[in-house]
Amino acid sequence: MPDLGKYADTVILAYVVSFVLLIGLSAITWVQSRRAKRLLDAEEARRGK
Amino acid sequence: MSFWEYANPVKFMGLSGRLIPVLSVLTALSLAVGILWGFFGTPDDYKQGSTVKIIFLHVPSAMIAINAWIMMMVTSLVWLIRRHHVSALAAKAAAPIGLTMTLIALGTGAIWGKPMWGTYWAWDPRLTSFMILAVFYLGYIALWNAIEDTDVAADLTSILCMVGSVFALLSRYAVNFWNQGLHQGASLSLDKEEHVDNAFYFPLLVCIAGFVLLFVILVLIRTRTEIRLRRAASLQARNT
């Protein structure tokens, strides 16, 4: 860990806020993608019957 | 082979399916290298101390926030002129990413602003135009969700996108238009006299590459999601 001096809280807060938003966006994107794939697979299976 | 062939959902799904694994690796690599290099491998700035390390998140997110809207403007124009559904869905897919990047830019800017300017917020031209851009992103997403008919939603959101483009460009050039704000000029420039020191410049370029790749991969995944949902809705309508 580098010595961030008197601005340590500021720098760490900026990184935490950014990571939370980026990871949240990526997670939501992944979950929605899985859900859409399952939905389409189910509809195609229904149509195939 | 024409570029417009990829407006065909089947072709788009095939190409994007092949690209996503490769891009995922490149994105993870460039983000890891850029952020670790920036955080651990750069010195403190003589004026700003360690807060300069915020640049590696603030500048790339701000660049993507503006350019995501420009990408949405181009794909919206393609929808309005050529009526390709994939392009309208790509614009829809990019909006939450652009909004997140705008929030990161505003959030990191506010956190950085407190020790440097003595305030989290000022009605500075660039900050204000960025806040308006965030409101446009919210409005754009809300409009897509408010209209059931996807073609009508695509038409209306495309028009909103054209109007919002003024603010996207304003966000980029606000510092040049009005010279009385707190926000400094461009951090990156082809003019050697203007841009940041090389100790920060090269890791910043890697971070920007990582954010661009992340944007591309998220747009591809979200567009695929929209195409699947549209196809599922059409099958549902036929099955019932």
Side-chain angles (χ1 to χ4, degrees):
Chain A
M1 187 75 178
D3 179 16
L4 300 172
K6 62 179 178 176
Y7 298 124
D9 291 350
T10 302
V11 177
I12 289 166
L13 180 63
Y15 273 75
V16 168
V17 167
S18 303
F19 287 153
V20 165
L21 286 169
L22 287 176
I23 291 167
L25 173 71
S26 304
I28 289 169
T29 299
W30 188 76
V31 168
Q32 286 175 339
S33 163
R34 295 288 94 195
R35 200 177 291 159
K37 188 173 183 326
R38 273 201 306 274
L39 180 70
L40 180 57
D41 288 346
E43 285 302 326
E44 282 177 339
R46 253 180 80 194
R47 189 170 163 76
K49 276 180 191 169
Chain B
M1 196 176 71
S2 157
F3 167 78
W4 297 111
E5 280 183 35
Y6 294 100
N8 176 324
V10 177
K11 289 228 170 191
F12 177 85
M13 293 297 275
L15 178 69
S16 58
R18 288 192 300 278
L19 282 176
I20 285 170
V22 182
L23 288 178
S24 302
V25 174
L26 288 175
T27 304
L29 266 177
S30 48
L31 278 179
V33 169
I35 290 172
L36 290 174
W37 186 3
F39 191 82
F40 292 99
T42 56
D44 287 357
D45 179 68
Y46 77 102
K47 264 188 193 166
Q48 305 189 51
S50 62
T51 62
V52 73
K53 292 179 194 294
I54 298 173
I55 200 172
F56 304 109
L57 298 166
H58 181 73
V59 169
S61 58
M63 286 177 82
I64 299 294
I66 296 168
N67 289 300
W69 194 279
I70 303 299
M71 172 252 161
M72 286 161 58
M73 181 190 76
V74 172
T75 49
S76 296
L77 270 175
V78 171
W79 161 255
L80 289 174
I81 296 165
R82 298 188 67 127
R83 312 304 282 181
H84 290 314
H85 285 103
V86 171
S87 89
L89 296 177
K92 183 185 180 187
I97 310 165
L99 175 63
T100 307
M101 294 297 176
T102 309
L103 294 177
I104 292 174
L106 283 171
T108 52
I111 293 165
W112 200 355
K114 182 64 180 165
M116 293 303 111
W117 299 337
T119 179
Y120 287 110
W121 180 261
W123 294 102
D124 163 279
R126 180 166 277 187
L127 274 65
T128 308
S129 57
F130 245 81
M131 180 172 269
I132 295 170
L133 183 63
V135 173
F136 264 95
Y137 271 120
L138 282 171
Y140 180 90
I141 294 166
L143 191 55
W144 259 109
N145 291 323
I147 300 165
E148 209 167 309
D149 184 318
T150 48
D151 284 8
V152 175
D155 284 340
L156 295 179
T157 51
S158 295
I159 292 161
L160 179 65
C161 191
M162 301 298 127
V163 179
S165 301
V166 175
F167 287 94
L169 292 171
L170 210 59
S171 309
R172 170 68 185 83
Y173 296 106
V175 173
N176 307 7
F177 291 155
W178 299 281
N179 206 18
Q180 73 271 31
L182 283 171
H183 202 287
Q184 81 278 15
S187 302
L188 295 176
S189 166
L190 293 175
D191 180 356
K192 276 281 202 184
E193 296 299 311
E194 262 189 54
H195 76 63
V196 295
D197 187 87
N198 282 347
F200 307 106
Y201 183 69
F202 294 112
L204 182 55
L205 285 185
V206 181
C207 284
I208 289 169
F211 270 71
V212 170
L213 285 167
L214 181 67
F215 173 72
V216 171
I217 198 171
L218 289 174
V219 168
L220 288 179
I221 295 171
R222 297 184 73 89
T223 307
R224 285 165 66 85
T225 301
E226 294 297 336
I227 290 170
R228 282 180 173 137
L229 289 175
R230 192 182 154 84
R231 169 86 180 138
S234 117
L235 286 177
Q236 252 169 4
R238 274 189 244 168
N239 288 341
T240 50

